[in-house]
Each structure stands twice: as C-alpha cells, then as structure tokens.
Amino acid sequence: MIISLKHIIKLIVILTLVNFINHIVNAAEKVELLKTDWTFKGLFGKFDRGSLQRGYQVYSQVCSSCHSMKYLSYRNLTEKGGPEFTEEQAKAIAASYEVKDGPNADGEMFVRPGKLSDKFVQPYDNVKAAQAANGGAYPPDMSVLIKARSGGANYIYSLLQGYEDPPAEVTLDEGVYYNKYMYGNKIKMASPLSEGIVTYSDGTEATVEQMSKDITTFLMWTAEPHLESRHKMGFKAIIYLIILTILVYFSMKKIWSRIESEV
Amino acid sequence: MSDHEYTPKSKVGKWFNDRLPILTLANHLTDYPTPKNLNYWWTFGGILTFCLITQIITGLTLAMHYIAHADMAFESVEKIMRDVNYGWLIRYIHANGASMFFLAVYIHIFRSLFYGSYKSPREIIWIIGIIIYLLMMASAFMGYVLPWGQMSFWGATVITNLFSAIPLVGEGIVTWLWGGYSVDNPTLTRFFTLHYLIPFLILGLVVLHIWALHVPGNNNPVGIDIKKPSKDTVPFHPYIVIKDAFALLMFMIVFAFFVFYAPNILGHADNYIEANPMVTPAHIVPEWYLLPFYAILRSIPDKLLGVLAMLFAIIILALLPWLDTSKIRSAVFRPLYKQFYWILLADVLILGYVGAMPAEGLYLLIARIATFYYFLHFLVILPVLGFKEKTLPIPLSITDPVLGGSPNLAIAKNRDSFDN
C-alpha cells in the first residue's frame, strides 16, 4: 500500500504536467466561449420548462424555416422532461403543419394536418433542395446539433451572439457573414436573431441574449431528451454504489482481520 | 494449485463430479492459493472480467435494436437513444464501457510492467494477454464505426487505408477489406459481424489467460516465488473475492459518473454528424485509447514504415519476457528500472497527447522523440539494464521479514523511500 500511494502521487504529477503543457499550447488559439448559467448542468440539472417552451417558439418561428429536426416527433413535445406542452397544445402545434401522406386507396398522395405521431415537418424535400435555397450550404439538421459541435451548448449560445462586422483585413463574399465563434470565422447563415423577432407568448422580453439562451436550452433537450431522468437515476445509482462500497469495505476489513497481514 | 484431492460430500455430487469434474473446478477456484500481499493494482483482472461481461450484455441488447445499414445505422442509434426504453442508458454504458475497459487494461498492463509479471514462468499468460489487447483494439475500432457518424466513417477510411501501404497487393487488400471501392455498406455490415464475434473470442482467451495463470499462480508485489499453499498465501475465497469486489465497486462509481454525468466527454463531437463521404472532418482522430499508436504511426514520414512501426510497437510487448534480461521481477528491488518505468509511462502519455494533436510543427517533433524513446526503452534500455543494474537484496518469503526471518525487505523498503 505504501508503494501504490506513492505511485498514485507520481501519476498525478505526470498527468498535471501533461495537462499543463496542453493548457499552454492551446491557450493561444482558442476563443473563449460565452457562458451562462445553464439549469441543465450539474448533479441535479433540469431543464427550465419555460425556457424550453420559449425555445420551441424560437425554433418553429425562426430556425425551422431552414433547419430540419428529423428525429423528433410532435408527441415528444408532451413528454416528461421536455417542454411538457399539454396534449391539446401539442395537437394544435402538429395540426398547424401540413403533412404529406399516402398513397391512399386511389394511389394518390395527399396532404393532411399533422398528428402527434408525425415527425417534425422538414423545410426542404431533400438535401439538394436545401443547398440550392441556401447558397450551396446545407443547414444542418438540429436534432443532435448540440452534441455534434465541440463546445456544445456554450458554442451554439455564443455563435448566435457572435455576429459582428468583419475586421478590415477580411473580405467576405456575397452571402457569407463574419462570426467570431465560427470555425474559420466565415458562416453562410445570416444572423438569425434580432431584437423582438419573436413575440414570446409568456411575455418574456425577446432580447437576442434571451432567445439564444432559450433556443440553446431547447436544442440541448432535443439532443438529450432523457437528460433529466439520466441525472435523476445517476444520483441514485452513485449513492447506492457508495453505500455498498462502504459496506463491502468493512466486510473486507473484518475478513482480512482473521490473518495477520501487514506487508 | 492445491495438492489435495477434492471429493464432493453428497452422493449425487460425487456421481456428477466423477463424470464432469465441475465441482472440482469450483473448489479449485475458491481454494486457489493467492499471495496475501497483493495490492489494489492486482484487482484489475477481476475488473476487466466485469468490463467484458458488461460489454457483451449491453452489446447484445443494442444489437437487437441497431440496424447495420449505411442508410439506417445513424438513425437506428438515435432511435435507441430516444424511443427504446432505457436505450440511452444501455448505449452510454456500452460506449463508456469501452473506455473503462481500456482504462482498466492499461492499468493491468502497466502493473505487469512494474512488477515483472510477464517474466518466467508467466510468459504464456502475458502473450495471451497481448493477443486479448490486440483483439480489444480491433473490436473497439469496429464498434466505433457502427454509429456511422463522421468520425466512424473517416476513422474507418484512415485505418483500413493503412493496409494499402503493403507493397504490390496493398490496394487489392484494401478493396477486399472494404468489399468495394470505398468504405460503404458492405464495410459496415462486415464490421458489425466482426464486432459481434470478437468479444466471444476474447472471452475464450480470457479463460485461457486465467487457466495459464492458475498453473504458476499469481505474481506478487515482492516478485518472489512463494510456496503454495503456505503462510504466504490466502484462499481466493473469501479474501481476494471481497477485495476485488471492493475495488470493483470503486471502479463502478467512476464508471457511473461518466455514464450519467459526462456520457459524451470521451467521444468526439463529429460522431454526432451522420457520415458524409463528401465532407472530410478537419482533424481525424481515433478514440483516446488508440492515440499513442496513432502518434507513432504519424511520426514516421514513410507510410509503410509508419505502419510497421505501429505494429511493432505492439508486437514488441509480446517479446518483453525476453527483452527484459533481469532475473528480478519486481521494480521494488530494481532502483534503475523503476526510474525508467516512470519515464516510459510519461512517454506513452505524451505519445497519447500528441496523437490527438495535428501532426505538425512542435507536436510532430515531440511525437518523433517520444516514438524513438519508446523503442529505445524496449530494445536497448531493458536488455542492457538486466546486466548492468545493481539490484537490491530480495527477501526469501513474504512473511519472513515480518516475522523476523530476514530484514532484507524492510531495508529494501526503507531504501525505496529514500530513493524517491
């Protein structure tokens, strides 16, 4: 045991050193992301229900005109741990979209109002159509977008607020915008949010910062719909394991006390 | 191994055991004399068994919902995450379980290196272990391809392309591996098949690994041969079982932390983007546990030599029992080896770090120096050290120094603490 403790200390020293080098090397190139107090972080992290509902509003009124969300269905909006719209609200939301269905008995495709079981209606028929409408850039599907970007929630939150005039030495092509958080700083999406672009139904003031926060929270949920139950179960599982570990530790001490062993 | 013959007490038991001696085996496993001075670094064998079983069970469950098709794989994984009951839990256990498996296997390997567990008469255990490690890497790599994200696709492209370095037949082999002219659906389906098969091969090898272990018995921190059974040993059950259980539980707490609170921290964000053969990610990096070898591969300017160096970096481990010429097993009594051991560990960690960075400038230089040192350690330092090193006196038995038989261990331990 004496030996192993010393080894652990050495290992920690080595790891710290590696980490330190890492820090120095990386410090120069990284742009510090904006941060805010996400309610979904931490041991008991939960979504802010109001923020999720507002976030959905931003998504449906702003983002969804270009970005699809193909892994979500309208029924998800009512599920526990999500925005928790009432069933009536979600049905009304679904019904406000037109869904192509069919073929019917006559072999014809037809259009009907959306149902809870429908997937979110996509803005374009296919990737090519999306590219054609957006100057060649495909607006990525938003279902797991938060998990698909390093920096996660903070990155999306920053990106939405990172539009500014380009520095003098940067020239931008037509349809390209400058964003200080974007990889390479050039982005084909024009700044999507502007003061008051959405009128929140709960009366919250729709500042760019507020909307960025709400949509990011919503996107975190779409990427991790079971985040709340994961956190809840995780806490229970770890407490259980800790108690069991303590019990087993004392059993071990008792059993080993039968033999004199201090080597 | 215990010498006494085992006979079951009950008549039925005896009848059965005469025909299939499974009770004798169970008795052997519970009575198996184990050195009583094993420290916690020895608990990782049990932990690794747990990891393998966990991967197999969660993997079987995932396979019931996963669809191995280039157009549907990514979607089926999302379905598992969203709609399958506790699918997110199973998948996160499986994905993080792979990392935990490698964490444990690296500790297990480095424990062997420190205490000279690979030396005579345990060479076969060691070599089986290296084969298991190789299969683990193959299985983990193919498993990473299955979600069919960007890193899956491009990782598979980079790694399979390594075979094209083979002269004359290289290109042909790559086409054969892919089942086409690029990584595509046939590649995915065969990777899925092999990913499903390999864990069972590993399971079989684990049985051999343990069988081979039970012939000479465990090495121990003092690294001396001990009489079995004797005052130096304890029966495996309950002493080692309870200790392994305690260590396993602590390991599971760390495991649970990753699964529940940081399930994606060890993965790469790009793998949540569906595979797209038309878009290459900015940096293609393998999973963290393959990074040291990736660094060795990239540090050599020639493709074929790079691939050979990477392979040799693993094969060299299998030759370790003969490269290490020292008769003394435990680093506790090898003051010089111990220093080199820590340098090697640091070297491997540095290789892992630069493996994650772009192969250019300072990183490339560091990778080259570290690669050079890696081979220097095994090919020069270890063989020479065995002849040159002045080792410390070793005790005659584990209990002797405590009972006043030989003061050597106590002296050695004191000196050990002064040295560092």
Side-chain angles (χ1 to χ4, degrees):
Chain A
M1 280 314 283
I2 300 166
I3 299 167
S4 53
L5 194 70
K6 212 161 60 189
H7 292 177
I8 291 171
I9 293 167
K10 273 191 187 170
L11 197 66
I12 291 169
V13 170
I14 292 172
L15 288 175
T16 321
L17 203 70
V18 171
N19 197 19
F20 184 63
I21 298 169
N22 183 2
H23 199 73
I24 296 172
V25 177
N26 281 344
E29 22 189 278
K30 266 191 187 152
V31 189
E32 196 71 28
L33 294 176
L34 299 176
K35 290 188 174 73
T36 187
D37 49 336
W38 301 114
T39 58
F40 50 78
K41 299 257 159 158
L43 279 188
F44 305 103
K46 274 184 183 164
F47 291 113
D48 171 351
R49 224 56 67 193
S51 185
L52 278 182
Q53 296 199 355
R54 288 193 298 274
Y56 174 72
Q57 206 183 334
V58 176
Y59 169 73
S60 59
Q61 290 175 18
V62 183
C63 320
S64 71
S65 56
C66 299
H67 291 274
S68 62
M69 188 152 315
K70 59 182 174 184
Y71 300 121
L72 270 90
S73 307
Y74 295 109
R75 66 179 162 81
N76 294 133
L77 293 172
T78 66
E79 276 163 16
K80 210 164 170 293
E84 297 185 4
F85 284 108
T86 63
E87 199 166 316
E88 285 68 41
Q89 284 172 318
K91 272 183 177 157
I93 288 171
S96 69
Y97 291 91
E98 289 189 329
V99 175
K100 204 175 180 188
D101 201 351
N104 62 14
D106 301 325
E108 308 282 335
M109 301 301 280
F110 60 95
V111 170
R112 60 162 173 79
K115 294 186 288 196
L116 284 183
S117 57
D118 285 321
K119 293 267 189 230
F120 278 21
V121 171
Q122 301 187 20
Y124 302 105
D125 287 341
N126 51 56
V127 174
K128 289 277 180 234
Q131 284 172 331
N134 289 283
Y138 171 61
D141 184 85
M142 280 186 154
S143 315
V144 282
L145 193 65
I146 292 269
K147 292 198 284 188
R149 296 290 179 275
S150 66
N154 287 336
Y155 171 74
I156 302 290
Y157 178 69
S158 306
L159 187 86
L160 289 169
Q161 300 175 67
Y163 286 88
E164 48 186 44
D165 292 331
E169 70 274 14
V170 178
T171 45
L172 296 171
D173 294 336
E174 178 71 22
V176 176
Y177 306 88
Y178 188 87
N179 189 310
K180 62 175 169 176
Y181 299 107
M182 180 75 185
Y183 185 72
N185 296 127
K186 290 178 183 174
I187 185 166
K188 285 209 165 177
M189 172 173 75
S191 177
L193 300 176
S194 56
E195 193 85 26
I197 191 170
V198 171
T199 312
Y200 279 138
S201 48
D202 65 356
T204 309
E205 199 189 340
T207 61
V208 170
E209 198 189 335
Q210 181 66 42
M211 286 185 289
S212 303
K213 192 173 173 181
D214 292 339
I215 184 65
T216 305
T217 305
F218 180 71
L219 291 179
M220 187 70 214
W221 169 73
T222 62
E224 279 286 313
H226 299 292
L227 180 137
E228 288 191 8
S229 46
R230 172 155 62 77
H231 285 173
K232 238 186 257 166
M233 188 193 286
F235 184 72
K236 283 187 213 155
I238 288 174
I239 291 292
Y240 174 82
L241 283 171
I242 289 174
I243 292 171
L244 192 60
T245 307
I246 293 169
L247 291 177
V248 169
Y249 174 78
F250 285 112
S251 320
M252 181 179 76
K253 283 284 151 199
K254 182 121 200 296
I255 289 170
W256 277 80
S257 68
R258 291 179 211 158
I259 41 171
E260 26 56 67
S261 165
E262 262 321 312
V263 181
Chain B
M1 265 199 241
S2 44
D3 297 325
H4 70 97
E5 271 298 314
Y6 167 78
T7 28
K9 286 190 188 79
S10 77
K11 247 186 162 171
V12 180
K14 192 177 174 319
W15 180 89
F16 191 87
N17 203 49
D18 286 344
R19 282 148 186 84
L20 178 69
I22 205 158
L23 293 170
T24 305
L25 178 67
N27 176 258
H28 162 74
L29 291 177
T30 46
D31 277 4
Y32 172 66
T34 318
K36 68 178 185 185
N37 62 337
L38 296 189
N39 56 35
Y40 283 101
W41 300 113
W42 258 266
T43 59
F44 282 86
I47 287 171
L48 282 161
T49 314
F50 164 80
C51 288
L52 178 62
I53 304 294
T54 307
Q55 289 306 85
I56 289 180
I57 294 172
T58 52
L60 285 173
T61 320
L62 288 172
M64 293 173 192
H65 300 280
Y66 171 76
I67 302 168
H69 189 287
D71 296 337
M72 289 179 268
F74 191 86
E75 193 186 341
S76 73
V77 171
E78 274 309 309
K79 209 172 160 76
I80 289 169
M81 292 298 291
R82 289 162 195 279
D83 295 336
V84 173
N85 290 331
Y86 298 105
W88 59 268
L89 178 62
I90 308 275
R91 173 163 179 263
Y92 278 155
I93 290 177
H94 197 73
N96 287 284
S99 283
M100 291 295 123
F101 206 157
F102 275 95
L103 176 68
V105 91
Y106 282 126
I107 294 174
H108 196 59
I109 290 172
F110 272 95
R111 187 269 289 157
S112 260
L113 294 184
F114 190 86
Y115 294 109
S117 302
Y118 48 84
K119 290 183 194 183
S120 171
R122 298 185 181 83
E123 299 96 324
I124 299 293
I125 313 173
W126 172 254
I127 290 170
I128 293 173
I130 296 299
I131 298 171
I132 293 175
Y133 173 52
L134 267 172
L135 287 177
M136 276 174 64
M137 289 198 281
S139 190
F141 158 67
M142 289 192 259
Y144 195 59
V145 175
L146 301 185
W148 212 241
Q150 274 289 67
M151 243 352 127
S152 301
F153 182 89
W154 290 99
T157 304
V158 169
I159 301 295
T160 47
N161 253 318
L162 296 179
F163 290 90
S164 70
I166 303 168
L168 301 174
V169 291
E171 293 294 338
I173 288 179
V174 173
T175 308
W176 176 72
L177 285 175
W178 286 341
Y181 295 99
S182 68
V183 173
D184 206 339
N185 198 46
T187 326
L188 177 60
T189 49
R190 67 189 53 185
F191 275 21
F192 179 53
T193 311
L194 295 173
H195 181 69
Y196 205 119
L197 168 72
I198 292 175
F200 296 98
L201 299 182
I202 294 178
L203 189 64
L205 284 166
V206 166
V207 172
L208 295 184
H209 193 64
I210 296 170
W211 186 2
L213 169 71
H214 280 229
V215 177
N218 291 69
N219 183 29
N220 65 76
V222 184
I224 53 169
D225 291 321
I226 51 171
K227 271 207 261 124
K228 289 169 286 256
S230 73
K231 261 191 291 186
D232 284 350
T233 67
V234 290
F236 188 77
H237 183 76
Y239 296 97
I240 304 299
V241 169
I242 190 80
K243 196 167 171 174
D244 277 1
F246 172 61
L248 174 61
L249 281 164
M250 291 208 289
F251 182 80
M252 284 170 78
I253 293 173
V254 178
F255 195 160
F257 174 79
F258 277 106
V259 169
F260 292 107
Y261 291 107
N264 292 308
I265 204 164
L266 297 168
H268 197 291
D270 278 11
N271 227 27
Y272 278 106
I273 304 173
E274 194 168 358
N276 184 351
M278 312 306 281
V279 179
T280 318
H283 301 295
I284 301 173
V285 276
E287 291 279 73
W288 68 267
Y289 39 79
L290 303 175
L291 288 173
F293 299 107
Y294 193 57
I296 291 176
L297 169 79
R298 295 192 305 178
S299 69
I300 306 216
D302 182 77
K303 191 175 178 186
L304 179 61
L305 290 179
V307 174
L308 288 177
M310 181 175 71
L311 282 179
F312 195 54
I314 303 167
I315 292 167
I316 210 169
L317 292 172
L319 304 175
L320 198 53
W322 298 277
L323 289 171
D324 186 347
T325 49
S326 175
K327 292 277 171 282
I328 308 295
R329 291 197 191 99
S330 176
V332 173
F333 305 103
R334 299 182 62 190
L336 276 178
Y337 171 73
K338 198 193 307 181
Q339 306 303 324
F340 285 114
Y341 171 87
W342 289 110
I343 296 172
L344 176 74
L345 180 58
D347 187 62
V348 172
L349 289 174
I350 289 167
L351 275 172
Y353 175 68
V354 292
M357 295 292 132
E360 56 197 27
L362 186 63
Y363 293 126
L364 192 57
L365 182 70
I366 295 173
R368 286 187 173 150
I369 296 169
T371 300
F372 176 75
Y373 184 81
Y374 181 89
F375 289 109
L376 186 77
H377 176 92
F378 289 108
L379 294 175
V380 181
I381 294 173
L382 277 190
V384 172
L385 212 54
F387 298 111
K388 297 281 181 201
E389 188 178 26
K390 208 172 160 297
T391 54
L392 304 174
I394 56 168
L396 297 171
S397 85
I398 295 170
T399 25
D400 269 356
V402 181
L403 302 179
S406 151
N408 285 350
L409 181 61
I411 291 171
K413 281 211 143 176
N414 270 335
R415 217 180 290 175
D416 186 42
S417 50
F418 283 125
D419 276 349
N420 300 286

